[in-house]
């Protein structure tokens, strides 16, 4: 009897320990990382831009005010695939190998979900993936093929067939579909004995801004505030972006109006190709006519551009509200860390530019906030500099893990918890756009450094493949690429404390010579530390750098 009693007590203790372990695992915070595509900070109310008066994001603003808001979050390479690769790997573009839209991340390099799984998390990614290979490091996925479709999208899922062949089709708008799939996974498909890590990736508001039909009247009769630089660009830019005597203005930087003769927003907006499902009754003749002056036409185009963009944003905001309501009903709201960001910024007519890619502020700056009432105090706002290499390290740290040495970013968990920068925190961020004159957006390749007050940019104007090398190979089929077109090298410098709209390139102002010299030294040090130098892999670029460094 004594032996039986001892055995029973032993088994009871094992069960008790097992329950304690299970409870300890569940105590880890759930994490939902929400990312929209091209949702720029100007289009969130919390950032107080000219669009804030339109109240474009009430649900997101409420969520943000319950957490910690970052005013200086920046992308390291403002284009979809490289940014997403950086977020998954915690590495800069040259280190993770994804320099442009043709890059990819294989399952063995999908470091963030690997680390989260090792910490006991059930992981999922739903929505836009855009990294070509199967997101096999996640426990569950339902992802759009490539860029995916706005309306009636197809999703790639796990199955018995090879990657890309297992699909499901949905009816309706992608923002609704992605949220439906996320809530279904949270409610019905995950292992509820584990904490969850969900990457919830909207396609919206990426161009061509095909909004859900229910929003066709949203803002229709509202004037959208316009940036002054849409019409007058002052001393922004350099010969690298404008050409000598403005000779390249017609081909560099896709435009709102007719300035760029190859790619202007009007060419898409005023055709019915991208409006047929969103608004089948759309009639361009009610908004533009042949007798308009150039500025009148630009104004009409800008108004339509922003309304479609903000209708897509409205769909994101409403779906975040749906998700929050669901989390509350499921008892998950307050024990879940909620992160919101965009995959980069976006130009909304500033300097008469559309799209992203530039190191200019609206393209480089990312919206970013985190809500977690159990550990993070509501109402904290910080100007600490972070970038998208820091996201993965921070999420791993919040989950109780140790940041792998292969990640180049740094955890900002301390800043989230205190609102204060720890000793030695980074005071600048490095940026590099590699593609060069791509897709008729025609942005010259460049790199630079941004501090809290200053920005220094070097446009080197060459594709990362040496197109002058006889045996060089690159994608010559992709539409709109002018990789073989070298553009002028030039420097730009902006004092953001007095010129936040970057209207005055002050590089040649002797008052800043000492500051510029210091920034160049800091840039060299960062390039070396981050393995972003060009000498070994890209000598044709290094030659331009050496020739023009002291210009």
């Amino acid at each position: 009897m004594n032996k039986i009693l001892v055995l029973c007590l032993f088994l009871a203790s094992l069960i008790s320990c097992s329950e304690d372990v299970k409870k300890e695992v569940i105590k880890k915070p759930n994490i939902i990382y929400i990312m929209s595509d091209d949702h720029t900070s100007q289009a969130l109310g919390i950032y107080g831009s000219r669009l804030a008066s339109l109240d474009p994001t009430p649900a997101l603003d409420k969520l943000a005010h319950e957490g910690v808001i970052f005013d200086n979050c920046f992308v390291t390479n403002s284009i979809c695939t490289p940014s997403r690769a950086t977020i998954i790997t915690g590495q800069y573009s040259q280190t993770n190998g994804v320099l442009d839209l043709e890059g990819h991340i294989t399952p063995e390099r999908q470091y963030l979900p690997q680390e989260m799984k090792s910490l006991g998390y059930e992981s999922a990614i739903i929505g836009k993936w855009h990294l070509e290979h199967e997101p096999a490091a996640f426990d569950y996925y339902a992802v759009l093929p490539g860029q995916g479709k706005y309306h009636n999208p197809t999703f790639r899922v796990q199955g018995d067939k090879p990657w890309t062949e297992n699909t499901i089709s949905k009816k309706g708008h992608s923002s609704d579909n992605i949220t439906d799939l996320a809530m279904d996974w949270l409610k019905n498909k995950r292992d509820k004995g584990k904490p969850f890590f969900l990457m919830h990736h909207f396609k919206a508001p990426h161009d061509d801004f095909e909004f859900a039909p229910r929003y066709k009247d949203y803002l229709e009769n509202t004037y959208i505030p316009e940036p002054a630089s849409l019409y007058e660009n002052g001393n922004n830019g350099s010969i690298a972006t404008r050409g000598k005597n403005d000779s390249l203005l017609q081909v560099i930087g896709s435009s709102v109006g007719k300035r760029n003769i190859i790619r202007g927003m009007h060419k898409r907006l005023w055709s019915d190709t991208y409006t047929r499902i969103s608004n089948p009754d759309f009639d361009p003749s009610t908004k533009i006519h042949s007798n308009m002056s150039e500025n009148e036409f630009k104004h009409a185009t800008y108004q339509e551009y922003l309304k479609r963009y903000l209708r897509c944003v409205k769909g994101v905001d409403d779906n975040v509200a749906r998700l929050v309501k669901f989390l509350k009903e499921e008892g998950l709201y307050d024990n879940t860390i909620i992160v919101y960001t965009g995959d980069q910024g976006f130009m909304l007519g500033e300097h008469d530019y559309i799209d992203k890619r530039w190191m200019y502020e609206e393209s480089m700056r990312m919206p970013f906030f985190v809500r977690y009432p159990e550990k993070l105090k509501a109402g904290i706002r910080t100007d600490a500099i972070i970038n998208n290499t820091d996201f993965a390290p921070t999420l791993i740290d919040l989950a109780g893990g140790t940041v792998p040495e292969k990640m180049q970013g740094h955890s900002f968990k301390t800043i989230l918890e205190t609102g204060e920068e720890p000793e030695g925190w980074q005071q600048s961020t490095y940026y590099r756009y590699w593609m060069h004159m791509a897709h008729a957006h025609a942005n010259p390749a460049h790199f630079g450094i941004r501090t809290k007050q200053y920005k220094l940019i070097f446009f080197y104007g060459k594709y990362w493949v040496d197109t002058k090398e006889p045996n060089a190979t690159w994608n010559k089929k992709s539409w709109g690429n002018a990789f073989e077109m070298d553009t002028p090298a030039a420097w730009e410098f902006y004092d953001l404390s007095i010129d936040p709209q970057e209207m005055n390139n002050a590089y040649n102002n002797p008052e800043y010579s000492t500051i510029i010299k210091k920034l160049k030294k800091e840039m060299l040090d960062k390039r070396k530390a981050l393995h972003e130098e060009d000498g070994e892999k890209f000598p044709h670029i290094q030659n331009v750098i050496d020739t023009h460094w002291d210009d």
Side-chain angles (χ1 to χ4, degrees):
M1 287 294 293
N2 288 340
K3 288 183 178 179
I4 293 172
L5 180 60
V6 169
L7 180 60
C8 289
L9 290 170
F10 175 70
L11 290 172
S13 68
L14 284 178
I15 292 169
S16 176
C17 289
S18 174
E19 288 298 316
D20 288 343
V21 169
K22 189 174 181 181
K23 287 177 183 176
E24 184 63 32
V25 169
I26 293 174
K27 279 183 180 178
K28 284 179 176 286
N30 301 308
I31 301 174
I32 299 180
Y33 173 93
I34 307 173
M35 184 163 72
S36 297
D37 193 322
D38 295 341
H39 192 186
T40 184
S41 59
Q42 306 98 280
L44 273 96
I46 57 170
Y47 288 106
S49 78
R50 66 182 184 278
L51 302 177
S53 62
L54 302 174
D55 193 24
T57 51
L60 287 167
D61 293 350
K62 184 176 186 301
L63 201 61
H65 286 305
E66 293 175 358
V68 182
I69 300 171
F70 285 78
D71 288 325
N72 280 330
C73 178
F74 301 104
V75 71
T76 53
N77 184 354
S78 187
I79 190 74
C80 296
T81 305
S83 176
R84 291 163 191 273
T86 288
I87 290 164
I88 286 291
T89 63
Q91 298 173 336
Y92 287 79
S93 294
Q94 191 167 168
T95 297
N96 65 41
V98 180
L99 307 183
D100 57 25
L101 289 176
E102 295 178 2
H104 56 268
I105 293 291
T106 54
E108 62 270 18
R109 294 190 297 131
Q110 295 165 16
Y111 302 138
L112 176 56
Q114 288 172 8
E115 292 295 321
M116 299 304 287
K117 286 175 70 174
S118 74
L119 293 168
Y121 279 76
E122 181 92 355
S123 64
I125 183 167
I126 297 171
K128 184 173 175 180
W129 170 236
H130 216 222
L131 290 171
E132 189 176 337
H133 285 268
E134 181 181 12
F138 291 88
D139 295 301
Y140 174 86
Y141 63 81
V143 294
L144 296 167
Q147 183 57 47
K149 295 192 301 182
Y150 264 118
H151 299 285
N152 305 323
T154 296
F155 293 85
R156 291 174 177 167
V157 296
Q158 292 108 322
D160 297 331
K161 299 176 184 177
W163 160 243
T164 75
E165 294 182 21
N166 302 289
T167 62
I168 56 174
S169 296
K170 294 291 181 180
K171 295 291 184 183
H173 194 270
S174 68
S175 295
D176 302 332
N177 301 143
I178 289 163
T179 306
D180 289 341
L181 287 166
M183 293 191 298
D184 180 55
W185 180 77
L186 287 167
K187 190 174 182 69
N188 302 314
K189 292 186 168 63
R190 67 184 174 92
D191 180 350
K192 295 185 180 179
K194 296 180 179 181
F196 61 79
F197 171 59
L198 168 63
M199 300 193 85
H200 182 291
H201 290 184
F202 290 105
K203 170 184 169 62
H206 189 281
D207 69 7
D208 288 291
F209 319 121
E210 296 176 54
F211 49 86
R214 65 181 178 272
Y215 298 119
K216 68 183 180 65
D217 296 322
Y218 175 63
L219 298 174
E220 179 62 23
N221 298 314
T222 301
Y223 169 77
I224 310 298
E226 301 177 350
S229 60
L230 177 64
Y231 301 98
E232 297 293 337
N233 203 18
N235 189 38
N236 168 268
S238 60
I239 62 166
T241 63
R242 305 167 71 113
K244 188 175 181 180
N245 298 322
D246 289 347
S247 59
L248 295 176
L249 280 181
Q250 289 188 311
V251 295
I252 285 183
S254 50
S255 60
V256 174
K258 298 178 180 179
R259 173 185 54 78
N260 188 311
I261 60 175
I262 302 171
R263 187 158 186 172
M265 196 72 241
H266 62 96
K267 294 187 177 183
R268 294 179 178 235
L269 285 186
W270 303 123
S271 78
D272 66 357
T273 305
Y274 304 103
T275 57
R276 194 174 295 117
I277 299 177
S278 294
N279 184 6
D281 299 323
F282 179 72
D283 181 3
S285 69
T286 63
K287 301 189 176 187
I288 57 170
H289 56 80
S290 59
N291 295 326
M292 282 179 158
S293 68
E294 184 175 344
N295 279 352
E296 287 173 334
F297 182 82
K298 186 186 287 187
H299 165 74
T301 302
Y302 177 83
Q303 293 294 312
E304 183 68 20
Y305 169 33
L306 265 290
K307 287 171 185 178
R308 293 193 198 179
Y309 178 88
L310 291 171
R311 286 166 189 161
C312 287
V313 168
K314 174 69 170 168
V316 167
D317 193 70
D318 285 350
N319 273 289
V320 169
R322 284 180 64 213
L323 182 62
V324 166
K325 182 174 183 290
F326 168 84
L327 293 173
K328 289 178 178 178
E329 292 170 349
E330 295 294 311
L332 296 170
Y333 188 53
D334 286 334
N335 66 335
T336 298
I337 296 170
I338 301 177
V339 178
Y340 185 83
T341 187
D343 59 349
Q344 61 248 328
F346 203 71
M347 307 299 293
L348 296 179
E350 298 85 5
H351 313 294
D352 188 33
Y353 290 138
I354 61 174
D355 204 66
K356 49 266 185 178
R357 305 167 191 254
W358 295 107
M359 195 182 164
Y360 297 134
E361 202 69 0
E362 296 83 5
S363 167
M364 183 187 185
R365 183 186 295 277
M366 306 171 78
F368 193 91
F369 64 80
V370 183
R371 181 197 186 274
Y372 183 41
E374 187 173 313
K375 294 287 179 68
L376 308 182
K377 186 178 178 181
I380 291 178
R381 194 153 194 152
T382 174
D383 68 350
I385 290 178
I386 62 172
N387 67 45
N388 58 334
T389 66
D390 301 321
F391 295 178
T394 303
L395 293 170
I396 291 165
D397 198 3
L398 288 168
T402 301
V403 180
E405 290 186 8
K406 60 194 169 192
M407 290 189 174
Q408 294 173 296
H410 305 91
S411 170
F412 48 84
K413 179 172 177 277
T414 299
I415 301 173
L416 285 168
E417 293 172 339
T418 67
E420 303 293 330
E421 298 176 35
E423 186 177 349
W425 186 253
Q426 59 201 7
Q427 296 301 301
S428 63
T429 186
Y430 178 77
Y431 178 90
R432 184 163 189 178
Y433 174 72
W434 289 82
M435 288 188 72
H436 185 65
M437 301 301 286
H439 304 146
H441 287 299
N443 306 70
H446 56 287
F447 59 75
I449 192 170
R450 193 218 193 268
T451 70
K452 290 181 181 179
Q453 183 172 354
Y454 304 115
K455 182 180 292 182
L456 181 65
I457 312 172
F458 179 62
F459 289 89
Y460 56 88
K462 283 183 182 288
Y463 186 44
W464 60 271
V465 175
D466 186 357
T467 59
K468 305 301 186 292
E469 170 61 43
N471 297 320
T473 58
W474 66 92
N475 183 358
K476 298 181 181 180
K477 295 180 180 179
S478 182
W479 176 85
N481 294 327
F483 297 149
E484 296 168 87
M485 177 184 173
D486 294 345
T487 53
W491 290 92
E492 296 182 18
F493 169 84
Y494 299 95
D495 183 346
L496 301 169
S497 67
I498 60 173
D499 181 27
Q501 277 74 47
E502 297 170 313
M503 295 295 288
N504 180 36
N505 175 12
Y507 182 76
N508 292 318
N509 185 336
E511 293 180 13
Y512 291 108
S513 59
T514 301
I515 293 167
I516 290 171
K517 185 176 180 180
K518 180 183 176 184
L519 288 173
K520 284 186 179 182
K521 171 66 167 58
E522 189 172 349
M523 191 188 297
L524 285 175
D525 291 343
K526 271 192 180 289
R527 280 170 56 78
K528 183 175 182 180
L530 298 172
H531 313 297
E532 281 284 328
E533 295 175 297
D534 293 275
E536 185 176 337
K537 290 185 178 179
F538 312 105
H540 65 297
I541 296 174
Q542 187 62 50
N543 181 56
V544 178
I545 296 169
D546 293 341
T547 302
H548 293 278
W549 191 259
D550 294 321
D551 282 2

